[in-house]
Amino acid sequence: MSPEPGTESPLLAATRAARWIRSAAVDDERGRHWRANPDPRGKAALPGQPLSLYSGAAGIVLFFLELAAATGDDGYLDDARAGARYLAATWRDQADLSLHHGLSGVMFALAEAGWATGEESFEIEAGAVADHVVRSARSIDGGLGWTGDPAQRGDGGIILALLHAAGILGVPAYQEIAVEAGARIAVLAVPGHRFGGGACADLPLDAVTPGFLSGTAGTAFLLARLYGVTGETRFLNAARRGADFVRAISAVTDRCALVPHHIPQGRDLHYLGFCSGSAGVARMFYELYRVAGDAGDLDWVERLARGIVRSGVPGRQTEGYWNVACQCCGTAGLVELFVGLWAATGRPAHLEFAHELGENLIGRATRHDERGSRWYQAYRRLRPWEVTADTGYMIGAAGIATALLHLDATMRPEEARRLVLPPDNPFPAIPLPTATLRQS
């Protein structure tokens, strides 16, 4: 569904989502977190992660930081502060070190909260988390690491978070250990990932995933980022090996590209979203272009974008773009791609398609009561009967509304503002082309 023209702006939709997320707030002496699904008798798609960037408080803190910047309403900044206090008080109870589901994401959220609010205590706690992550590193295969998994769901995401922490907190030692851990990943013949079996029961044991969150593209993105930081060609060469693998297995027709979800069994299953599809893989090619300047990489970004457009979304659902709206595998992740591409290239077609996607998201919102807007979706493609509405960032309303805020920022060049982009987003943090900024 799409709304009637002029019925609701992206900013209004985001504030209505905030109302629903606020209805999920749980306050205690430690601060504030949010229930994953506050609906009466509602079930969360991914319960049990109250701190995480993916579906818990860390991601919701990021949303409220952005909403405060977009509206000038300090009440939203108070929401972010309360959530950051909860993260600061409870992170020591968390064992997972990863970016999206664990402490590296908490570290990112605390550092951003400290930057936005000026509260030094949040930056201090972010540094304490980073120190803990550094101390947790261990010897793996003659190198350094944490989980042994090179993908962004494992060591790759932890390294990205440490690189960010080194910059925002001003601690070079975090970058040093990130580079050392990245060196172990760089020696892999192809920095891919075998995802089947215990890691994902839905995939065969020998499945290999080229996608972003759990596969080759995300690992190659990390290696390209390390090349940009260090200038060391070993990282660029390793990133190129990953990119070449993705190119080799992709379906390319009429200057469009689609990436298989997994091979060899899922060669004809083409996800479009961030986690395992075109939107995520495009980030890898753009990062390569950003750090190395090869126009061929930007050409592949455009090929992937054209593949998304020509698939018929958002009006048409496909096997790789089903009833899902979230940042991870749905429409919000596509909004992030096309807003980022417009900021990077200035091409009007990218912004036009981002608005088409945004209108679809606004039209799909459910606001049948006074508690605000939410999005019901089938998060798991293989279980379409499980329809839920969640509050979190990668999985629910906070991330969907954040994508709408990024779309809103493109509409107000005279009020250019810094976006809070996670470390795996390579696009400009001010989502306006340089020419637009000069005009304003």
Side-chain angles (χ1 to χ4, degrees):
M1 297 183 296
S2 293
E4 293 298 322
T7 57
E8 187 167 315
S9 69
L11 181 58
L12 178 57
T15 59
R16 286 178 170 171
R19 188 187 313 161
W20 185 67
I21 294 169
R22 279 175 161 175
S23 76
V26 178
D27 291 309
D28 59 29
E29 68 281 359
R30 301 170 297 178
R32 178 177 302 162
H33 65 284
W34 295 266
R35 297 190 301 278
N37 185 336
D39 281 348
R41 299 181 300 280
K43 293 183 178 180
L46 197 64
Q49 295 191 4
L51 300 187
S52 77
L53 176 63
Y54 198 90
S55 60
I60 294 173
V61 165
L62 299 184
F63 164 61
F64 278 119
L65 289 176
E66 293 229 41
L67 189 57
T71 62
D73 186 340
D74 286 343
Y76 296 128
L77 206 57
D78 291 339
D79 289 297
R81 285 193 185 95
R85 285 196 296 271
Y86 179 82
L87 295 176
T90 61
W91 69 262
R92 291 170 179 81
D93 300 329
Q94 169 70 262
D96 191 322
L97 299 173
S98 69
L99 173 62
H100 289 96
H101 298 284
L103 285 178
S104 293
V106 171
M107 172 177 64
F108 174 76
L110 282 169
E112 289 292 336
W115 180 276
T117 65
E119 294 197 19
E120 186 180 3
S121 62
F122 296 150
E123 294 186 6
I124 291 172
E125 285 301 318
V129 178
D131 291 341
H132 172 74
V133 172
V134 168
R135 288 193 302 269
S136 301
R138 58 192 176 93
S139 177
I140 300 176
D141 297 331
L144 201 66
W146 294 267
T147 68
D149 184 344
Q152 289 210 19
R153 69 173 189 176
D155 287 1
I158 296 171
I159 294 169
L160 284 174
L162 285 173
L163 290 174
H164 178 271
I168 197 170
L169 300 177
V171 183
Y174 299 153
Q175 178 175 310
E176 292 169 7
I177 195 168
V179 172
E180 185 178 353
R184 180 183 66 85
I185 298 173
V187 302
L188 298 175
V190 174
H193 187 71
R194 182 159 292 179
F195 189 47
C200 182
D202 294 329
L203 294 183
L205 284 170
D206 60 343
V208 176
T209 56
F212 196 78
L213 188 56
S214 302
T216 309
T219 309
F221 174 97
L222 164 70
L223 293 163
R225 177 66 55 84
L226 286 168
Y227 169 70
V229 168
T230 67
E232 296 181 16
T233 56
R234 58 175 172 165
F235 293 120
L236 179 60
N237 293 337
R240 288 271 177 234
R241 292 197 301 272
D244 289 346
F245 172 75
V246 173
R247 283 190 180 99
I249 64 172
S250 295
V252 181
T253 57
D254 192 24
R255 296 192 56 77
C256 297
L258 293 170
V259 182
H261 179 264
H262 62 282
I263 59 171
Q265 305 88 351
R267 194 172 288 276
D268 295 326
L269 174 59
H270 302 122
Y271 274 36
L272 299 183
F274 157 80
C275 60
S276 303
S278 299
V281 175
R283 292 188 182 194
M284 179 267 289
F285 281 109
Y286 183 76
E287 180 71 2
L288 266 172
Y289 171 73
R290 190 182 70 83
V291 300
D294 188 331
D297 294 317
L298 185 59
D299 177 68
W300 260 79
V301 177
E302 297 287 3
R303 286 173 184 266
L304 291 160
R306 278 193 293 271
I308 293 170
V309 173
R310 293 188 185 179
S311 72
V313 303
R316 175 175 176 259
Q317 290 189 353
T318 69
E319 193 175 4
Y321 176 85
W322 60 103
N323 178 25
V324 64
C326 64
Q327 287 259 2
C328 182
C329 42
T331 313
L334 301 187
V335 172
E336 297 282 21
L337 171 65
F338 284 91
V339 166
L341 281 179
W342 179 66
T345 68
R347 290 189 57 204
H350 291 319
L351 185 58
E352 291 168 8
F353 192 63
H355 277 285
E356 182 180 343
L357 293 164
E359 288 174 1
N360 178 267
L361 274 178
I362 293 169
R364 290 171 63 181
T366 294
R367 43 185 178 272
H368 61 275
D369 54 29
E370 296 302 316
R371 291 192 301 149
S373 293
R374 71 221 73 167
W375 284 264
Y376 290 92
Q377 61 179 0
Y379 170 66
R380 292 178 174 83
R381 182 181 67 88
L382 296 182
R383 286 181 261 175
W385 56 87
E386 293 184 1
V387 175
T388 63
D390 294 79
T391 57
Y393 190 92
M394 294 303 299
I395 197 173
I400 295 169
T402 297
L404 292 174
L405 289 177
H406 295 172
L407 185 61
D408 169 74
T410 69
M411 302 161 64
R412 296 194 280 168
E414 71 284 356
E415 302 173 18
R417 61 183 186 264
R418 173 183 176 266
L419 306 186
V420 182
L421 301 182
D424 55 20
N425 189 322
F427 295 113
I430 298 177
L432 298 167
T434 303
T436 302
L437 287 172
R438 283 198 297 265
Q439 292 167 8
S440 61

